[in-house]
Amino acid sequence: MSTPAATATPEGQAKPSASKPIVFGIYGLPGCGKTFLLKKLKDALGAEHFAFYEGSEVIGEVTPGGLRAFKRLEREEDRNRYRARAIEKVAEEAAASGMPAVISGHFLDWNEGQEKGAVMYILSDLRIYTHILYLDTDPWLIAQRRVGDQQRTRPTASAQHLEAWQNTEKRMLRELCYTHGMLFMPVRESPIVSMILTTLFRKFSKHTEDDNLSRVKFQLSDFFLVKKKQPDTILVIDGDGTLAAEDSGMLFWGIVVANPQQDTGTLFRSTGVANSSSPRPDATRQNPLKSLFESSPDYSYTTFL
């Protein structure tokens, strides 16, 4: 089975930006719970502070004849044209309102038995999205949901195929996010996931690099100018190679690779590097943090987030 290659202001809101509005993308396999999560986030965050969209509905709005007409289009370039119009519509509305946008979507279409999946992202997605959240639901649970879904008709898919599909999506999305300076966040479905994401979305929407720099300058000004404290010495510590001669990151990931049976699922999920359903890091990616900081964002604000 081969896989496709990765080509191709009110409180709580960010300041409006005509060039780069904040757009959160929510991805995951069909049946993973994206629609339910979007509703929970809308209830928690409020439609007066965030704009919420279901990707397929927006595509239907911009396609003459609606979503049914879109699905009948035979040429992929025609479909991509309306996909581009849909995400650009979301970005334009976010820029005009100053509100962050949250939109659910699909990344790959991959029926069981096909050699590889068909990519559904376009270049406009990579240009517009600022954050990508991946709902990392257990493939076995997704398989059960798809069988019992009374509202939507979905092709039959085994849990093994769904797992391969899911791992491919996460790998490709991670690579694309690293390359295009987007924040990638895989999260496990849980009863409190909407609460966690509500906090994160508010933080990501309100706190920017400029805001953080302003806070630092304010604290320094308050310390030196207002309180008029003049320290004799300022100690700055760089922990890289200072506290230990060895590279602790390389040591840590070396241990992980050397002990593949070790229960590190929770750690992987928290770092967003892998999880219990994805392959262990191979020899070429023994230190995922090194890959992250050597990617396009480099040592940027987005990378540290």
Side-chain angles (χ1 to χ4, degrees):
M1 181 184 297
S2 64
T3 58
T7 58
T9 131
E11 178 70 17
Q13 291 181 208
K15 297 176 182 178
S17 171
S19 59
K20 191 70 171 181
I22 296 174
V23 180
F24 297 95
I26 299 180
Y27 282 106
L29 299 189
C32 73
K34 295 188 299 295
T35 300
F36 179 75
L37 176 60
L38 195 68
K39 182 181 182 302
K40 296 285 287 185
L41 290 173
K42 185 175 182 179
D43 291 341
L45 293 169
E48 68 274 16
H49 296 305
F50 286 75
F52 296 88
Y53 304 85
E54 187 142 12
S56 58
E57 293 181 358
V58 184
I59 290 175
E61 291 174 6
V62 301
T63 305
L67 190 58
R68 289 186 178 181
F70 174 82
K71 292 180 178 180
R72 289 196 297 267
L73 293 173
E74 296 181 356
R75 298 195 309 168
E76 192 63 22
E77 52 265 39
D78 293 333
R79 293 190 176 205
N80 286 341
R81 184 169 66 253
Y82 292 116
R83 287 177 180 137
R85 288 184 185 177
I87 189 63
E88 287 165 2
K89 176 179 185 292
V90 170
E92 289 169 2
E93 292 181 358
S97 68
M99 293 195 302
V102 184
I103 178 172
S104 62
H106 299 284
F107 186 74
L108 288 178
D109 185 18
W110 194 358
N111 291 330
E112 189 157 11
Q114 292 180 330
E115 183 179 2
K116 62 181 181 179
V119 294
M120 301 174 70
Y121 75 90
I122 53 177
L123 293 179
S124 294
D125 293 335
L126 305 179
R127 176 176 55 84
I128 290 173
Y129 281 121
T130 55
H131 305 71
I132 296 293
L133 178 146
Y134 192 88
L135 191 53
D136 197 11
T137 305
D138 191 314
W140 296 89
L141 179 58
I142 296 176
Q144 294 175 7
R145 288 178 179 173
R146 290 168 68 97
V147 171
D149 194 339
Q150 301 296 322
Q151 297 181 345
R152 303 182 185 182
T153 302
R154 294 189 172 106
T156 302
S158 66
Q160 291 84 354
H161 172 70
L162 293 173
E163 183 175 22
W165 183 357
Q166 187 179 75
N167 287 334
T168 301
E169 287 198 337
K170 288 187 292 185
R171 174 183 59 80
M172 293 177 65
L173 278 167
R174 183 177 293 112
E175 292 173 356
L176 288 168
C177 287
Y178 285 3
T179 303
H180 293 84
M182 297 178 288
L183 186 65
F184 179 62
M185 301 178 291
V187 294
R188 280 288 190 176
E189 185 184 39
S190 74
I192 63 171
V193 66
S194 61
M195 296 173 55
I196 296 172
L197 292 179
T198 295
T199 301
L200 286 175
F201 279 24
R202 283 176 176 153
K203 176 181 175 61
F204 293 147
S205 300
K206 182 178 179 182
H207 299 293
T208 65
E209 187 171 4
D210 290 338
D211 291 334
N212 284 342
L213 180 59
S214 297
R215 290 189 181 93
V216 171
K217 290 180 177 179
F218 175 80
Q219 292 296 332
L220 289 175
S221 299
D222 180 66
F223 186 83
F224 290 110
L225 301 179
V226 179
K227 296 180 180 178
K228 297 182 178 180
K229 294 183 179 180
Q230 297 296 328
D232 296 327
T233 304
I234 298 178
L235 178 62
V236 179
I237 297 178
D238 178 3
D240 188 9
T242 301
L243 303 180
E246 299 87 352
D247 186 323
S248 58
M250 293 299 294
L251 289 174
F252 172 80
W253 289 107
I255 293 173
V256 171
V257 173
N259 296 273
Q261 302 305 318
Q262 185 177 354
D263 183 12
T264 53
T266 301
L267 170 65
F268 286 144
R269 286 194 295 274
S270 65
T271 59
V273 173
N275 54 59
S276 57
S277 66
S278 61
R280 298 287 177 177
D282 57 28
T284 63
R285 297 197 61 176
Q286 291 190 4
N287 188 345
L289 293 180
K290 185 178 179 64
S291 299
L292 174 62
F293 285 109
E294 289 180 350
S295 64
S296 178
D298 197 39
Y299 286 82
S300 66
Y301 179 75
T302 300
T303 303
F304 279 99
L305 285 178

Short mmCIF file of all heavy atoms in Angstrom, two decimals, residues 179-220:
data_model
loop_
_atom_site.label_atom_id
_atom_site.label_comp_id
_atom_site.label_asym_id
_atom_site.label_seq_id
_atom_site.Cartn_x
_atom_site.Cartn_y
_atom_site.Cartn_z
N THR A 179 6.95 23.19 6.91
CA THR A 179 7.48 23.88 5.74
C THR A 179 6.87 25.26 5.55
O THR A 179 7.56 26.19 5.12
CB THR A 179 7.23 23.03 4.48
OG1 THR A 179 7.82 21.74 4.65
CG2 THR A 179 7.83 23.70 3.25
N HIS A 180 5.60 25.42 5.90
CA HIS A 180 4.88 26.67 5.60
C HIS A 180 4.62 27.52 6.84
O HIS A 180 3.83 28.47 6.78
CB HIS A 180 3.57 26.36 4.88
CG HIS A 180 3.76 25.79 3.52
ND1 HIS A 180 3.99 24.45 3.28
CD2 HIS A 180 3.78 26.39 2.29
CE1 HIS A 180 4.13 24.24 1.99
NE2 HIS A 180 4.01 25.39 1.37
N GLY A 181 5.26 27.21 7.94
CA GLY A 181 5.18 28.07 9.11
C GLY A 181 3.86 28.06 9.84
O GLY A 181 3.48 29.04 10.47
N MET A 182 3.12 26.92 9.78
CA MET A 182 1.86 26.80 10.50
C MET A 182 2.08 25.97 11.77
O MET A 182 2.98 25.14 11.82
CB MET A 182 0.79 26.14 9.63
CG MET A 182 0.43 26.93 8.39
SD MET A 182 -0.81 26.07 7.36
CE MET A 182 0.18 24.73 6.68
N LEU A 183 1.25 26.20 12.76
CA LEU A 183 1.33 25.43 13.99
C LEU A 183 0.50 24.16 13.84
O LEU A 183 -0.68 24.22 13.49
CB LEU A 183 0.81 26.26 15.17
CG LEU A 183 0.97 25.63 16.56
CD1 LEU A 183 2.44 25.48 16.90
CD2 LEU A 183 0.27 26.48 17.59
N PHE A 184 1.11 22.99 14.10
CA PHE A 184 0.42 21.70 13.96
C PHE A 184 0.16 21.12 15.34
O PHE A 184 1.08 20.98 16.15
CB PHE A 184 1.28 20.74 13.13
CG PHE A 184 0.65 19.38 12.96
CD1 PHE A 184 -0.55 19.25 12.31
CD2 PHE A 184 1.29 18.24 13.45
CE1 PHE A 184 -1.14 18.00 12.13
CE2 PHE A 184 0.71 16.99 13.28
CZ PHE A 184 -0.50 16.86 12.62
N MET A 185 -1.12 20.79 15.63
CA MET A 185 -1.50 20.29 16.95
C MET A 185 -2.35 19.02 16.82
O MET A 185 -3.56 19.11 16.59
CB MET A 185 -2.29 21.35 17.71
CG MET A 185 -1.59 22.66 17.92
SD MET A 185 -2.64 23.86 18.79
CE MET A 185 -3.87 24.20 17.52
N PRO A 186 -1.76 17.83 16.93
CA PRO A 186 -2.59 16.62 17.00
C PRO A 186 -3.14 16.46 18.41
O PRO A 186 -2.41 16.62 19.38
CB PRO A 186 -1.62 15.49 16.65
CG PRO A 186 -0.26 16.03 16.90
CD PRO A 186 -0.33 17.53 16.92
N VAL A 187 -4.43 16.19 18.55
CA VAL A 187 -5.04 16.03 19.87
C VAL A 187 -5.91 14.78 19.88
O VAL A 187 -6.57 14.46 18.91
CB VAL A 187 -5.89 17.25 20.26
CG1 VAL A 187 -5.02 18.47 20.45
CG2 VAL A 187 -6.98 17.52 19.24
N ARG A 188 -5.88 14.08 21.00
CA ARG A 188 -6.72 12.91 21.19
C ARG A 188 -8.13 13.32 21.58
O ARG A 188 -8.32 14.25 22.34
CB ARG A 188 -6.13 12.02 22.30
CG ARG A 188 -4.98 11.14 21.85
CD ARG A 188 -5.49 10.02 20.96
NE ARG A 188 -4.45 9.04 20.72
CZ ARG A 188 -4.64 7.93 20.04
NH1 ARG A 188 -5.83 7.69 19.53
NH2 ARG A 188 -3.66 7.09 19.85
N GLU A 189 -9.10 12.59 21.05
CA GLU A 189 -10.47 12.82 21.46
C GLU A 189 -10.64 12.39 22.91
O GLU A 189 -10.17 11.33 23.31
CB GLU A 189 -11.44 12.04 20.57
CG GLU A 189 -12.89 12.33 20.87
CD GLU A 189 -13.83 11.47 20.04
OE1 GLU A 189 -13.52 10.29 19.85
OE2 GLU A 189 -14.86 11.99 19.60
N SER A 190 -11.29 13.23 23.70
CA SER A 190 -11.54 12.93 25.11
C SER A 190 -12.71 13.79 25.57
O SER A 190 -13.09 14.75 24.90
CB SER A 190 -10.29 13.23 25.95
OG SER A 190 -10.12 14.62 26.11
N PRO A 191 -13.28 13.48 26.74
CA PRO A 191 -14.41 14.28 27.24
C PRO A 191 -14.05 15.74 27.49
O PRO A 191 -14.94 16.59 27.53
CB PRO A 191 -14.79 13.56 28.54
CG PRO A 191 -14.31 12.15 28.36
CD PRO A 191 -13.06 12.27 27.56
N ILE A 192 -12.75 16.03 27.69
CA ILE A 192 -12.36 17.41 28.01
C ILE A 192 -11.61 18.09 26.87
O ILE A 192 -11.07 19.17 27.06
CB ILE A 192 -11.49 17.44 29.29
CG1 ILE A 192 -10.18 16.66 29.08
CG2 ILE A 192 -12.26 16.91 30.49
CD1 ILE A 192 -9.20 16.85 30.23
N VAL A 193 -11.57 17.46 25.69
CA VAL A 193 -10.78 18.04 24.62
C VAL A 193 -11.29 19.41 24.21
O VAL A 193 -10.51 20.32 23.90
CB VAL A 193 -10.74 17.08 23.39
CG1 VAL A 193 -12.12 16.94 22.76
CG2 VAL A 193 -9.73 17.58 22.35
N SER A 194 -12.62 19.61 24.24
CA SER A 194 -13.16 20.92 23.85
C SER A 194 -12.77 21.99 24.87
O SER A 194 -12.51 23.15 24.49
CB SER A 194 -14.68 20.86 23.71
OG SER A 194 -15.30 20.51 24.93
N MET A 195 -12.68 21.63 26.15
CA MET A 195 -12.25 22.58 27.18
C MET A 195 -10.80 22.98 26.97
O MET A 195 -10.44 24.15 27.06
CB MET A 195 -12.43 21.97 28.57
CG MET A 195 -13.87 21.68 28.95
SD MET A 195 -13.99 20.78 30.52
CE MET A 195 -13.09 21.87 31.60
N ILE A 196 -9.95 21.99 26.66
CA ILE A 196 -8.53 22.26 26.43
C ILE A 196 -8.36 23.16 25.21
O ILE A 196 -7.61 24.14 25.24
CB ILE A 196 -7.76 20.94 26.24
CG1 ILE A 196 -7.80 20.10 27.53
CG2 ILE A 196 -6.32 21.21 25.82
CD1 ILE A 196 -7.24 18.72 27.37
N LEU A 197 -9.07 22.83 24.14
CA LEU A 197 -8.92 23.61 22.90
C LEU A 197 -9.51 25.00 23.04
O LEU A 197 -9.02 25.94 22.43
CB LEU A 197 -9.59 22.86 21.75
CG LEU A 197 -8.89 21.55 21.35
CD1 LEU A 197 -9.65 20.87 20.23
CD2 LEU A 197 -7.45 21.79 20.95
N THR A 198 -10.55 25.14 23.84
CA THR A 198 -11.11 26.47 24.09
C THR A 198 -10.05 27.38 24.69
O THR A 198 -9.87 28.53 24.26
CB THR A 198 -12.32 26.38 25.03
OG1 THR A 198 -13.36 25.65 24.38
CG2 THR A 198 -12.83 27.77 25.38
N THR A 199 -9.32 26.87 25.66
CA THR A 199 -8.25 27.64 26.29
C THR A 199 -7.14 27.96 25.29
O THR A 199 -6.66 29.10 25.21
CB THR A 199 -7.66 26.87 27.48
OG1 THR A 199 -8.70 26.61 28.43
CG2 THR A 199 -6.55 27.66 28.15
N LEU A 200 -6.75 26.96 24.50
CA LEU A 200 -5.67 27.16 23.53
C LEU A 200 -6.07 28.15 22.44
O LEU A 200 -5.28 29.02 22.06
CB LEU A 200 -5.28 25.82 22.90
CG LEU A 200 -4.49 24.85 23.77
CD1 LEU A 200 -4.28 23.53 23.05
CD2 LEU A 200 -3.15 25.45 24.16
N PHE A 201 -7.29 28.03 21.93
CA PHE A 201 -7.73 28.93 20.87
C PHE A 201 -7.77 30.38 21.35
O PHE A 201 -7.39 31.30 20.62
CB PHE A 201 -9.10 28.51 20.35
CG PHE A 201 -9.06 27.39 19.36
CD1 PHE A 201 -7.99 26.51 19.32
CD2 PHE A 201 -10.11 27.18 18.47
CE1 PHE A 201 -7.95 25.46 18.42
CE2 PHE A 201 -10.07 26.15 17.55
CZ PHE A 201 -8.99 25.28 17.52
N ARG A 202 -8.23 30.58 22.57
CA ARG A 202 -8.23 31.93 23.13
C ARG A 202 -6.81 32.47 23.25
O ARG A 202 -6.54 33.63 22.94
CB ARG A 202 -8.93 31.93 24.48
CG ARG A 202 -10.45 31.87 24.39
CD ARG A 202 -11.08 31.78 25.75
NE ARG A 202 -12.54 31.79 25.67
CZ ARG A 202 -13.34 31.25 26.56
NH1 ARG A 202 -12.82 30.65 27.63
NH2 ARG A 202 -14.65 31.31 26.42
N LYS A 203 -5.92 31.61 23.71
CA LYS A 203 -4.53 32.04 23.88
C LYS A 203 -3.90 32.37 22.53
O LYS A 203 -3.29 33.43 22.36
CB LYS A 203 -3.72 30.93 24.56
CG LYS A 203 -2.23 31.24 24.68
CD LYS A 203 -1.50 30.09 25.36
CE LYS A 203 0.00 30.35 25.35
NZ LYS A 203 0.38 31.56 26.07
N PHE A 204 -4.05 31.46 21.56
CA PHE A 204 -3.43 31.68 20.26
C PHE A 204 -4.03 32.89 19.54
O PHE A 204 -3.35 33.54 18.75
CB PHE A 204 -3.60 30.44 19.38
CG PHE A 204 -2.83 29.24 19.86
CD1 PHE A 204 -3.33 27.96 19.68
CD2 PHE A 204 -1.62 29.38 20.51
CE1 PHE A 204 -2.63 26.85 20.11
CE2 PHE A 204 -0.91 28.29 20.96
CZ PHE A 204 -1.42 27.01 20.77
N SER A 205 -5.29 33.19 19.81
CA SER A 205 -5.95 34.30 19.13
C SER A 205 -5.61 35.64 19.76
O SER A 205 -5.61 36.67 19.08
CB SER A 205 -7.46 34.10 19.16
OG SER A 205 -7.82 32.91 18.51
N LYS A 206 -5.31 35.63 21.03
CA LYS A 206 -5.06 36.88 21.74
C LYS A 206 -3.59 37.23 21.82
O LYS A 206 -3.20 38.39 21.67
CB LYS A 206 -5.65 36.79 23.15
CG LYS A 206 -5.50 38.06 23.97
CD LYS A 206 -6.13 37.90 25.34
CE LYS A 206 -5.97 39.16 26.18
NZ LYS A 206 -6.55 39.01 27.52
N HIS A 207 -2.77 36.23 22.06
CA HIS A 207 -1.34 36.49 22.28
C HIS A 207 -0.57 36.34 20.98
O HIS A 207 -0.58 35.29 20.35
CB HIS A 207 -0.79 35.52 23.33
CG HIS A 207 -1.45 35.66 24.67
ND1 HIS A 207 -1.31 36.78 25.45
CD2 HIS A 207 -2.26 34.83 25.36
CE1 HIS A 207 -2.00 36.63 26.56
NE2 HIS A 207 -2.60 35.46 26.53
N THR A 208 0.11 37.40 20.60
CA THR A 208 0.94 37.38 19.40
C THR A 208 2.38 37.67 19.80
O THR A 208 2.68 38.02 20.94
CB THR A 208 0.48 38.45 18.39
OG1 THR A 208 0.69 39.75 18.97
CG2 THR A 208 -0.99 38.26 18.05
N GLU A 209 3.27 37.54 18.84
CA GLU A 209 4.68 37.81 19.11
C GLU A 209 4.88 39.27 19.53
O GLU A 209 5.64 39.57 20.45
CB GLU A 209 5.50 37.49 17.86
CG GLU A 209 7.00 37.59 18.07
CD GLU A 209 7.77 37.05 16.90
OE1 GLU A 209 7.15 36.68 15.88
OE2 GLU A 209 9.01 37.00 17.00
N ASP A 210 4.19 40.19 18.87
CA ASP A 210 4.30 41.61 19.22
C ASP A 210 3.77 41.88 20.63
O ASP A 210 4.34 42.67 21.39
CB ASP A 210 3.54 42.46 18.21
CG ASP A 210 4.21 42.47 16.85
OD1 ASP A 210 5.42 42.18 16.79
OD2 ASP A 210 3.53 42.76 15.85
N ASP A 211 2.65 41.22 20.97
CA ASP A 211 2.09 41.39 22.32
C ASP A 211 3.07 40.92 23.38
O ASP A 211 3.27 41.59 24.40
CB ASP A 211 0.78 40.62 22.45
CG ASP A 211 -0.33 41.23 21.61
OD1 ASP A 211 -0.26 42.44 21.35
OD2 ASP A 211 -1.24 40.49 21.22
N ASN A 212 3.68 39.76 23.16
CA ASN A 212 4.63 39.23 24.14
C ASN A 212 5.86 40.12 24.27
O ASN A 212 6.37 40.34 25.37
CB ASN A 212 5.05 37.81 23.75
CG ASN A 212 3.97 36.79 24.05
OD1 ASN A 212 3.05 37.07 24.83
ND2 ASN A 212 4.06 35.63 23.45
N LEU A 213 6.34 40.64 23.15
CA LEU A 213 7.49 41.54 23.20
C LEU A 213 7.13 42.81 23.96
O LEU A 213 7.95 43.32 24.75
CB LEU A 213 7.94 41.88 21.77
CG LEU A 213 9.16 42.82 21.67
CD1 LEU A 213 10.37 42.21 22.37
CD2 LEU A 213 9.46 43.11 20.20
N SER A 214 5.92 43.32 23.77
CA SER A 214 5.48 44.51 24.51
C SER A 214 5.45 44.25 26.01
O SER A 214 5.83 45.12 26.81
CB SER A 214 4.09 44.94 24.03
OG SER A 214 4.12 45.31 22.67
N ARG A 215 5.00 43.05 26.40
CA ARG A 215 4.96 42.71 27.82
C ARG A 215 6.36 42.67 28.42
O ARG A 215 6.60 43.12 29.54
CB ARG A 215 4.27 41.36 28.03
CG ARG A 215 2.77 41.40 27.75
CD ARG A 215 2.12 40.10 28.17
NE ARG A 215 0.69 40.11 27.89
CZ ARG A 215 0.14 39.65 26.79
NH1 ARG A 215 0.91 39.14 25.85
NH2 ARG A 215 -1.17 39.70 26.62
N VAL A 216 7.30 42.09 27.66
CA VAL A 216 8.68 42.03 28.15
C VAL A 216 9.25 43.43 28.33
O VAL A 216 9.87 43.74 29.36
CB VAL A 216 9.56 41.21 27.17
CG1 VAL A 216 11.03 41.33 27.55
CG2 VAL A 216 9.12 39.75 27.15
N LYS A 217 9.04 44.29 27.34
CA LYS A 217 9.54 45.66 27.43
C LYS A 217 8.91 46.41 28.60
O LYS A 217 9.57 47.20 29.29
CB LYS A 217 9.28 46.40 26.11
CG LYS A 217 10.13 45.91 24.95
CD LYS A 217 9.82 46.70 23.68
CE LYS A 217 10.71 46.26 22.52
NZ LYS A 217 10.41 47.01 21.28
N PHE A 218 7.61 46.16 28.82
CA PHE A 218 6.93 46.82 29.94
C PHE A 218 7.52 46.39 31.27
O PHE A 218 7.77 47.22 32.16
CB PHE A 218 5.44 46.50 29.90
CG PHE A 218 4.68 47.03 31.08
CD1 PHE A 218 4.29 48.37 31.14
CD2 PHE A 218 4.37 46.21 32.16
CE1 PHE A 218 3.61 48.87 32.24
CE2 PHE A 218 3.69 46.69 33.26
CZ PHE A 218 3.31 48.02 33.30
N GLN A 219 7.77 45.10 31.41
CA GLN A 219 8.32 44.60 32.67
C GLN A 219 9.73 45.15 32.91
O GLN A 219 10.08 45.52 34.03
CB GLN A 219 8.36 43.07 32.65
CG GLN A 219 7.00 42.39 32.67
CD GLN A 219 6.23 42.67 33.96
OE1 GLN A 219 6.82 42.90 35.02
NE2 GLN A 219 4.91 42.68 33.87
N LEU A 220 10.52 45.22 31.85
CA LEU A 220 11.87 45.76 32.00
C LEU A 220 11.82 47.25 32.34
O LEU A 220 12.58 47.73 33.20
CB LEU A 220 12.65 45.54 30.71
CG LEU A 220 13.06 44.10 30.39
CD1 LEU A 220 13.73 44.01 29.03
CD2 LEU A 220 14.00 43.56 31.47
#
